[in-house]
Amino acid sequence: MQTDVLEVDTTRRRTVDVTEEVRSFCAGRGDGLCNVFVPHATAGLAIFETGAGSDDDVVEALERLLPRDDRYRHAHGSPGHGADHVLPAIVAPSVTLPVQDGRPLLGTWQSVVLVDLNRDNSQRSVRLSFVRG
């Protein structure tokens, strides 16, 4: 298995497209699977179309589902931080992509996106792992 780690800053964006980094990581590796994993209890990864407002729509939908208030038992950190700990139950902490000839088999409009609503920690690691088929 081959691995690499990306360091991502989410200070300015709640969603960060990491598709190009995934493509670069897979290039020249042949056929197999690429797993993308975020080892954080308050972030996740999703595959969706970016741009044209989709990024903001995803964030707004998640914020409606997970309001930042005092309803959560997990109560440390900024107000509503408990919502951040529920996020990975909705947006999984990993995605696995089939890779053919060193290219992730994503659809035309699909992107691999780090989703991070947590305002208390903006420094994220994203682990890429490749297993040959």
Side-chain angles (χ1 to χ4, degrees), residues 55-66:
D55 310 64
D56 293 334
D57 290 342
V58 167
V59 170
E60 287 176 16
L62 289 169
E63 288 177 341
R64 279 193 307 276
L65 287 170
L66 301 168

Side-chain angles (χ1 to χ4, degrees), residues 23-107:
R23 284 191 176 119
S24 293
F25 174 74
C26 293
R29 297 192 193 272
D31 296 347
L33 296 172
C34 179
N35 180 261
V36 186
F37 175 69
V38 57
H40 299 282
T42 59
L45 290 153
I47 296 175
F48 61 86
E49 177 182 4
T50 58
S54 298
D55 310 64
D56 293 334
D57 290 342
V58 167
V59 170
E60 287 176 16
L62 289 169
E63 288 177 341
R64 279 193 307 276
L65 287 170
L66 301 168
R68 301 189 71 81
D69 57 23
D70 63 357
R71 72 183 71 201
Y72 303 97
R73 290 179 189 92
H74 189 108
H76 74 84
S78 63
H81 178 64
D84 299 327
H85 287 273
V86 177
L87 176 75
I90 298 169
V91 181
S94 69
V95 297
T96 300
L97 306 170
V99 177
Q100 185 175 48
D101 296 326
R103 291 186 317 273
L105 297 179
L106 290 165

